[in-house]
Amino acid sequence: MLALRNLDRAQYLSRDELHSLQSAKLRSIVRHAFENVAFYRKKFDAAGLTPDDIRETGDLAKIPITNKKDIQAALPGELLSRGIDPAKCIVKNTSGSTGTPLRFFVNARERDFQRLLNLRIFLAGGFRLTDKTAYIINPHRFPDGKYWFQDYGILRRYYLSVFDSAEKHADALRRIRPDIVYGYPSNLTLLALAIKEGGIADIRPKAVFSSAEALEKQPRALIEAAMKTKVYDVLGLVETGDIAWECPAKEGYHVNSDAVAMEFLDESDRPVAPGERGRLVCTNLYTYTMPLIRYEAGDICVPSGGTCSCGRTLPLMESIKGRANDFIVLPDGKIVASCFLVILMQSFHEVAQYRVIQERRESIVMQIVKGERFSESTPGRIAEEVGRITGNRLKVEMAFLDALPRDASGKIRTVMSKVVPGLQSRILDYAGGGE
């Protein structure tokens, strides 16, 4: 647990100490990428840069930004460090929250460090090592096994599939009686409705953590009212792990600056001022298997110039913009979390971008931008997967576009539904608390 203790101490370092720690990690990852990763060596050579030109985070602006199209266009061998065997890596597929699903590779040590970062967030919210945690997540990310100490009641974890109904989630949580619940806001919202409308009174975790989607004000209030607890929001990316999070003071999102260097840029690639919206650009400071340097995540965030009263010195971010997706309604009126479609599309790497639009209960329209490996069989396989998950209750129509227009937030909402009757009013009815 030495690594966890070091992470805990890092939250309270002085700003100068944090800056020195971050700069040292930055210099190390930049040199490694320059010497071992063909993709970044080409970028550095084209820009006339060497590792000696990057000494601290202020020097990052010298490096060209890497976007998702760059990652898609590169061969895996160009992105991975020299000598890495992809077959021995842990592969992570992005959720496609920007309509662009990608694959990323980490080793076991890097994966474990991401879990420690997640654990640091839980501990800040009142978690104890003997507590039980229920994760409502993508079943493809369920762990293959468990650590030896979990047999002794340490870090007990239970995994529920996002593809299951809210009622099934509620039944499982009543059996598990978790201390912590972690999931996507859309699933947590439907779970909270099921708890309220089912009169369920025995799902009372000490805290709920949400991630991967935007957590809006009213759904947050509904979840807190249904489970009689506090909700803490986390900005987590498959590419980087958890990078910003709320503590109990809820005065913004603490940035994990000891694990990632975050920039917030305007359309001219200049840093925005505190309180202004900026494009999120990340440099991961610990993933040597597949380094990510000045990677544009596709999120729009608002940096903060303030400090938190909790005493942590990690820098703050005000808010996250433009991550929301809608819900989908099936012909029988059942409402399901849209993340099932986002997760489904993770395996279709031949799709460059996508968006799902529902205008009628009976069908959805998949707007698709074809990628390089797109084939005649791809649309049929997508429709088959949707049918498998929905019991063939939704007709899938395809529309092929050259590009998808972005929202005002700068994001591409991947799921948009115009036929979810009364959901918002049901959320508002319960969000104020009370039985």
Side-chain angles (χ1 to χ4, degrees):
M1 288 296 176
L2 177 61
L4 182 59
R5 287 199 295 270
N6 289 337
L7 281 174
D8 180 64
R9 285 196 293 266
Q11 302 176 94
Y12 302 99
L13 295 174
S14 70
R15 288 297 175 93
D16 287 343
E17 289 172 325
L18 264 177
H19 179 73
S20 295
L21 175 63
Q22 187 183 57
S23 296
K25 290 185 175 184
L26 176 63
R27 290 191 295 271
S28 177
I29 197 73
V30 164
R31 183 167 296 279
H32 171 84
F34 180 82
E35 294 176 351
N36 296 281
V37 182
F39 178 83
Y40 285 107
R41 182 58 180 258
K42 290 178 183 177
K43 275 188 173 286
F44 272 62
D45 286 348
L49 295 172
T50 71
D52 292 333
D53 296 312
I54 312 300
R55 307 302 301 167
E56 59 178 5
T57 53
D59 295 325
L60 280 169
K62 301 174 184 178
I63 305 172
I65 290 173
T66 294
N67 59 37
K68 297 192 176 187
K69 288 185 178 180
D70 296 332
I71 299 292
Q72 278 188 322
L75 297 174
E78 296 178 316
L79 296 166
L80 296 179
S81 294
R82 184 170 48 196
I84 294 293
D85 181 357
K88 296 181 180 179
C89 294
I90 298 159
V91 183
K92 295 194 168 190
N93 295 298
T94 67
S95 64
S97 62
T98 59
T100 309
L102 300 170
R103 290 196 305 168
F104 291 85
F105 298 79
V106 295
N107 62 27
R109 179 183 55 79
E110 293 160 351
R111 186 269 320 275
D112 288 346
F113 184 75
Q114 290 180 344
R115 289 177 175 174
L116 288 175
L117 285 172
N118 184 250
L119 184 55
R120 177 168 74 176
I121 296 168
F122 280 13
L123 290 168
F127 174 80
R128 296 295 176 263
L129 296 181
T130 54
D131 285 346
K132 293 185 289 186
T133 303
Y135 292 85
I136 306 175
I137 59 173
N138 177 358
H140 298 125
R141 295 184 187 155
F142 288 2
D144 294 330
K146 60 181 182 179
Y147 295 103
W148 62 267
F149 48 76
Q150 290 175 313
D151 289 329
Y152 296 91
I154 304 298
L155 297 180
R156 291 171 291 174
R157 293 169 173 169
Y158 303 82
Y159 297 91
L160 312 180
S161 171
V162 295
F163 297 133
D164 290 336
S165 68
E167 291 74 20
K168 189 170 182 178
H169 290 157
D171 289 342
L173 294 180
R174 295 181 78 181
R175 293 193 306 271
I176 297 168
R177 296 186 178 276
D179 302 284
I180 303 293
V181 175
Y182 177 98
Y184 306 151
S186 52
N187 286 106
L188 294 171
T189 300
L190 294 179
L191 170 63
L193 281 174
I195 291 171
K196 278 291 190 178
E197 295 176 345
I200 299 171
D202 55 351
I203 299 178
R204 296 289 183 265
K206 67 170 66 172
V208 172
F209 292 85
S210 71
S211 186
E213 302 167 346
L215 178 63
E216 306 292 347
K217 180 179 178 180
Q218 294 302 334
R220 181 199 287 263
L222 166 63
I223 297 164
E224 292 185 337
M227 293 188 248
K228 299 291 190 292
T229 191
K230 293 296 183 182
V231 176
Y232 301 105
D233 197 27
V234 179
L235 174 56
L237 306 175
V238 171
E239 304 95 304
T240 61
D242 295 330
I243 57 177
W245 47 281
E246 291 181 307
C247 74
K250 293 192 176 182
E251 296 172 7
Y253 292 75
H254 289 285
V255 173
N256 285 334
S257 60
D258 53 341
V260 63
M262 291 170 58
E263 302 171 81
F264 308 92
L265 307 179
D266 63 18
E267 292 306 312
S268 299
D269 294 341
R270 289 190 292 266
V272 300
E276 295 182 354
R277 295 185 179 207
R279 296 154 41 230
L280 177 60
V281 175
C282 296
T283 297
N284 221 350
L285 301 177
Y286 63 91
T287 49
Y288 286 76
T289 300
M290 181 177 169
L292 285 175
I293 298 173
R294 294 207 89 201
Y295 170 72
E296 185 166 355
D299 289 284
I300 305 298
C301 300
V302 180
S304 169
T307 57
C308 186
S309 62
C310 73
R312 292 176 177 85
T313 53
L314 296 173
L316 288 178
M317 184 180 74
E318 285 186 12
S319 60
I320 309 161
K321 305 294 184 184
R323 304 193 103 204
N325 282 324
D326 285 339
F327 294 82
I328 292 292
V329 61
L330 300 180
D332 61 4
K334 181 181 178 181
I335 298 170
V336 296
S338 60
C339 60
F340 89 86
L341 288 167
V342 177
I343 291 170
L344 179 152
M345 291 301 294
Q346 289 177 356
S347 60
F348 291 94
H349 303 292
E350 65 268 41
V351 174
Q353 288 185 308
Y354 71 92
R355 174 158 50 201
V356 181
I357 298 176
Q358 184 178 36
E359 295 184 341
R360 297 180 294 122
R361 279 193 180 192
E362 296 76 20
S363 65
I364 57 174
V365 176
M366 302 282 296
Q367 294 182 333
I368 288 176
V369 178
K370 298 178 182 179
E372 291 184 4
R373 301 176 183 86
F374 195 90
S375 69
E376 292 183 359
S377 68
T378 300
R381 290 189 292 112
I382 292 173
E384 182 179 349
E385 283 298 299
V386 174
R388 182 178 63 82
I389 293 172
T390 64
N392 293 310
R393 285 177 285 179
L394 279 178
K395 179 181 178 183
V396 181
E397 302 172 4
M398 300 284 173
F400 300 101
L401 306 177
D402 293 330
L404 297 182
R406 293 184 178 273
D407 300 336
S409 67
K411 294 278 287 184
I412 296 173
R413 285 176 61 197
T414 52
V415 181
M416 301 172 62
S417 178
K418 302 177 182 178
V419 291
V420 184
L423 179 63
Q424 192 62 30
S425 63
R426 289 163 63 193
I427 291 174
L428 291 172
D429 285 344
Y430 292 113
E435 299 296 328

